[in-house]
Amino acid sequence: MIEFDEDRTVWEQVYELLRSRIEGGQYKERGPIPSTPRLVQELGVAQNTIRKAINRLKADGLIRAINGKGTYVAPREAWFRNKGE
C-alpha cells in the first residue's frame, strides 16, 4: 500500500513511486513493469489512478507499451532524450 500525502494527487504519488522504481533499477531497463491489476492490488488504488500514472511515464519516455505483450522500461538513452539532456 502507498502512504498518501495530502499535498499531492494520488496519481502523482503513484507516478513518483513508479518513476523512482525505474530510475533506481527495481524495474530493469527493457524489463517489464507489473500489470495494472497487480499494481492496483499492491498499491491499493483505483485502476484509473494507475493508468494515469502509466500514461505520464509513457509521455516522459520512461516506459513503452508493446501491444499484446505488456509494458516495459525504455532504454536509458530514451530517458535522456525526453528530458532534453
Side-chain angles (χ1 to χ4, degrees):
M1 298 289 247
I2 194 168
E3 288 188 34
F4 297 107
D5 176 354
E6 295 178 9
D7 295 330
R8 296 176 294 147
T9 64
V10 176
W11 80 264
E12 289 172 319
Q13 293 173 65
V14 171
Y15 163 80
E16 290 172 8
L17 173 69
L18 296 178
R19 184 178 182 114
S20 72
R21 288 179 178 181
I22 291 167
E23 291 177 339
Q26 186 174 345
Y27 299 152
K28 303 293 183 198
E29 183 178 359
R30 293 185 171 87
I33 66 166
S35 66
T36 297
R38 186 168 177 178
L39 289 169
V40 165
Q41 182 179 19
E42 175 191 346
L43 301 177
V45 299
Q47 192 170 29
N48 285 340
T49 301
I50 298 294
R51 286 186 182 140
K52 192 164 185 177
I54 293 289
N55 286 336
R56 175 69 186 276
L57 291 166
K58 286 179 192 173
D60 287 351
L62 291 171
I63 61 174
R64 295 180 178 164
I66 300 174
N67 287 337
K69 296 201 177 216
T71 304
Y72 295 82
V73 176
R76 285 191 180 264
E77 312 84 66
W79 303 0
F80 297 115
R81 278 195 305 269
N82 288 302
K83 287 182 181 179
E85 296 178 10

